[in-house]
Amino acid sequence: MAVIGSLIKGLIHATDAVTSEPDGIEAQEKVLRELLKKAKDTAFGKHYNFEELLKSDDLRREYASKVPFFDYNKINKEWWQKMHEGEESVTWPGKPPYFALSSGTTGKSSKRIPVTEDMVEAIRQTGIKQVASLANFDLPSDFFQKEIMMLGSSTDLDKKSDHEEGEISGISASNIPFWFRNFYKPGTDIADIEDWDERVAEIAKNAKNWDIGAITGIPSWTELMIKKILEYHDAKNIHEIWPNLQVYSTGGVAFEPYEKTFEQLFARPVTVIDTYLASEGFMAFQARPETRSMKLVLDNGIYFEFVPFKPEYIEEDGSLNPDAPVVPLEKVEVDQDYVLVISTVSGAWRYLIGDTIKFTDVKKKEIRITGRTKFFLNVVGSQLSVNKMNDAVKELEQKFGITIPEFTISAVKKDGEFIHKWYLGVEENGKVKNEEMAKALDELLKDANKNYGVARKKALKGVEVVQVPPSVFFEWSGKNKKKGGQVKMEKVMKEEKFADWEEFVQQQLS
């Protein structure tokens, strides 16, 4: 069997060696042109006159000037809703065979994002690119014959009259190639189980039957799965169950807040590889071990635009000001936050995905996800982005020797004045006093963010910290959406939702 692993590894090395890196600007121009050509006869393409746009000498600039920004609510109300009423070729030719359900971080109601056959193929092709990039990692030959645990949502999709619905991880898993099925775990029978707790219980029961070499999944739910496995088998770490586990492919949220927790779950170092797969497409993946950044996929069905992440360009609901400027790919700068805008083979046009990114290497086109437009706290001019929050929480962990995998924050009024109130999910709950944590957090943010320091001298009158067990965050997700899959915890809440959160916390702790 080791020979098979050597052959697969050799094939990956050969594939990587012959794959030429495209010129990013040319690749993006080609992608945009192909998108417009294919969609020119759709209702959307006719409305915005794609045929005329294609004659432009400066296609990217003309496209940006003629087609407005869309967030989900706007494009769904004006265009995608027509698909649910039976119309064809609305924003992409034909009818999509799938809709990805994504409640994301915004509430109970699911978004229904079209997933076309072209997008399924684009996701598959980017997956192949990611596998080829494993040649850059120092992995032994026998790794390539181990099984892969893909922890996503249920693959038992909801069948409608002319399409199927489910989360993107379930749609992707239901479309895995036949040759990969022998490597894929937990297998279709378990993956079809709708209830997350039941599915994880079956995974825990069967865990020792599998030789897992890699895990993929969102950190919070992967952590819970591993803990359930350890509890079921009375094990100290996951390597007692899966001794050949060598890779964890993460995505959806920043991994840094979970780093300490995962170190406690592993017996030895595991290669962590970041990916950027959202309901709207597979946009980037970590292609080399020297960095935690991800390479944008510039030649495979997604056209990218970048808007500077500044308060004057962001509306209160997290959408973009219609006049917000776009920075072309060739003019992006290192370590500047940008709002990501995409156009795709699923018929999303100048679509605000809701994420903010920064380029860590402009030449290699490598990025990090820095936060969400809705996770931008600027009620009193503090201009706190989620990456600043993550950094501060990570420093808290180091300062006090504790683990904080989850948190949420809101600007609330106390005695008529605004304060920032933090709930921290602390593994070692009570080890450090709330007041001491609040003081340290406040000082860390003042040092890291000039605008926050100014706000603290004026309208922002204080900081409060409440420590709760991390499990409270998972139960909140279960109550408001559902467990597992693409569900992510809100890092920033509006006052009304925060009041619901506080009531829920009291119920959980009483």
Side-chain angles (χ1 to χ4, degrees):
M1 290 297 288
V3 175
I4 295 174
S6 297
L7 288 172
I8 295 172
K9 185 175 183 180
L11 179 61
I12 288 171
H13 274 282
T15 302
D16 191 58
V18 301
T19 303
S20 59
E21 190 63 35
D23 175 84
I25 311 304
E26 291 179 8
Q28 280 286 273
E29 176 99 23
K30 182 179 178 183
V31 166
L32 178 58
R33 190 169 295 279
E34 288 174 348
L35 289 173
L36 296 175
K37 277 183 180 178
K38 188 148 187 180
K40 65 183 175 63
D41 294 324
T42 64
F44 191 95
K46 289 176 180 176
H47 182 82
Y48 288 104
N49 205 349
F50 282 3
E51 192 151 11
E52 195 64 31
L53 277 179
L54 285 161
K55 299 174 185 176
S56 171
D57 293 332
D58 191 341
L59 183 61
R60 291 184 294 159
R61 177 176 294 189
E62 193 70 8
Y63 175 63
S65 70
K66 292 294 193 290
V67 181
F69 295 123
F70 287 90
D71 61 9
Y72 174 78
N73 290 331
K74 179 176 169 64
I75 200 169
N76 187 61
K77 181 180 178 181
E78 296 180 14
W79 296 99
W80 288 349
Q81 186 61 37
K82 297 175 182 179
M83 300 180 201
H84 304 305
E85 296 166 359
E87 289 191 33
E88 294 188 23
S89 298
V90 178
T91 62
W92 197 253
K95 281 187 175 183
Y98 305 100
F99 280 86
L101 303 181
S102 172
S103 58
T105 53
T106 55
K108 292 182 181 180
S109 59
S110 284
K111 299 176 182 178
R112 300 168 78 198
I113 297 164
V115 180
T116 62
E117 290 286 7
D118 291 308
M119 179 56 77
V120 170
E121 180 58 24
I123 290 172
R124 186 182 293 123
Q125 289 301 320
T126 297
I128 292 170
K129 288 175 185 281
Q130 185 187 11
V131 170
S133 76
L134 292 175
N136 300 325
F137 295 80
D138 186 22
L139 296 169
S141 295
D142 63 358
F143 167 78
F144 296 95
Q145 64 194 48
K146 304 302 178 187
E147 295 163 323
I148 300 176
M149 168 60 66
M150 296 174 64
L151 182 67
S153 54
S154 172
T155 54
D156 186 18
L157 305 178
D158 189 10
K159 294 172 177 59
K160 303 294 184 180
S161 59
D162 60 355
H163 67 273
E164 295 179 280
E165 296 183 353
E167 289 189 16
I168 193 64
S169 55
I171 293 171
S172 298
S174 67
N175 279 281
I176 59 174
F178 73 92
W179 54 266
F180 184 67
R181 293 183 186 272
N182 287 336
F183 296 93
Y184 164 62
K185 297 301 174 194
T188 53
D189 288 346
I190 295 176
D192 276 353
I193 298 173
E194 177 63 29
D195 184 84
W196 191 83
D197 290 314
E198 289 180 25
R199 198 180 330 136
V200 170
E202 284 299 308
I203 289 172
K205 188 189 302 183
N206 288 276
K208 281 196 171 181
N209 299 329
W210 304 322
D211 187 8
I212 301 296
I215 301 174
T216 71
I218 286 178
S220 55
W221 302 113
T222 302
E223 174 195 339
L224 280 185
M225 178 196 72
I226 292 174
K227 286 180 175 178
K228 289 289 185 184
I229 293 171
L230 300 186
E231 180 184 336
Y232 185 90
H233 295 282
D234 193 24
K236 293 185 176 65
N237 60 73
I238 195 61
H239 281 107
E240 290 184 15
I241 310 298
W242 295 330
N244 294 308
L245 176 63
Q246 297 184 62
V247 170
Y248 171 47
S249 179
T250 178
V253 295
F255 181 65
E256 283 80 359
Y258 303 91
E259 219 158 5
K260 284 191 69 174
T261 302
F262 273 75
E263 286 172 4
Q264 296 164 10
L265 299 174
F266 298 149
R268 53 184 175 274
V270 164
T271 299
V272 177
I273 300 177
D274 270 318
T275 60
Y276 189 3
L277 171 61
S279 299
E280 294 83 359
F282 197 166
M283 285 166 280
F285 59 86
Q286 183 183 339
R288 58 192 181 98
E290 306 86 31
T291 180
R292 291 289 295 277
S293 299
M294 298 175 288
K295 179 185 285 294
L296 276 177
V297 181
L298 300 172
D299 60 348
N300 192 24
I302 302 177
Y303 174 69
F304 298 97
E305 296 175 272
F306 311 94
V307 174
F309 184 42
K310 295 182 179 179
E312 58 264 36
Y313 303 145
I314 311 297
E315 305 289 358
E316 189 176 341
D317 63 358
S319 63
L320 281 174
N321 182 311
D323 299 321
V326 171
V327 177
L329 183 60
E330 62 269 29
K331 291 187 178 179
V332 294
E333 297 178 4
V334 171
D335 289 334
Q336 299 296 310
D337 280 0
Y338 296 101
V339 178
L340 193 62
V341 177
I342 61 172
S343 301
T344 78
V345 290
S346 271
W349 300 103
R350 305 203 76 213
Y351 180 90
L352 175 67
I353 194 170
D355 290 327
T356 60
I357 60 103
K358 69 176 180 181
F359 282 83
T360 55
D361 191 315
V362 171
K363 186 177 180 182
K364 288 185 170 68
K365 305 298 187 289
E366 289 179 338
I367 64 163
R368 298 291 308 271
I369 301 172
T370 56
R372 300 279 294 170
T373 55
K374 290 179 182 291
F375 291 171
F376 185 54
L377 190 57
N378 194 34
V379 173
V380 288
S382 54
Q383 294 190 23
L384 270 186
S385 60
V386 74
N387 61 319
K388 294 293 185 188
M389 300 175 202
N390 279 334
D391 290 345
V393 169
K394 194 169 178 62
E395 289 192 53
L396 271 188
E397 289 183 321
Q398 294 169 349
K399 179 179 176 65
F400 295 114
I402 55 179
T403 307
I404 311 172
E406 298 288 348
F407 69 85
T408 193
I409 177 177
S410 183
V412 298
K413 278 192 173 180
K414 184 176 182 180
D415 300 326
E417 295 185 301
F418 275 107
I419 66 166
H420 280 180
K421 190 166 185 180
W422 292 73
Y423 276 81
L424 302 179
V426 183
E427 297 278 5
E428 306 81 357
N429 195 359
K431 179 180 176 181
V432 184
K433 290 182 178 179
N434 286 337
E435 296 76 15
E436 192 176 355
M437 297 262 273
K439 183 179 179 181
L441 192 56
D442 195 26
E443 293 303 319
L444 286 167
L445 289 170
K446 285 177 185 175
D447 291 342
N449 187 332
K450 179 179 67 177
N451 292 307
Y452 177 86
V454 171
R456 282 292 285 116
K457 292 176 182 176
K458 296 181 179 178
L460 184 60
K461 296 304 179 183
V463 176
E464 284 189 13
V465 163
V466 179
Q467 298 177 64
V468 297
S471 59
V472 173
F473 291 83
F474 304 135
E475 293 305 322
W476 168 261
S477 291
K479 172 181 178 289
N480 285 273
K481 303 152 193 170
K482 63 179 182 178
K483 295 181 179 179
Q486 303 297 111
V487 173
K488 299 170 275 255
M489 179 65 196
E490 306 97 317
K491 299 300 185 190
V492 176
M493 292 186 188
K494 302 288 187 185
E495 273 196 88
E496 185 178 347
K497 191 166 192 179
F498 196 69
D500 293 340
W501 158 258
E502 293 201 293
E503 183 180 343
F504 176 80
V505 171
Q506 291 302 316
Q507 292 170 356
Q508 290 291 300
L509 299 182
S510 61

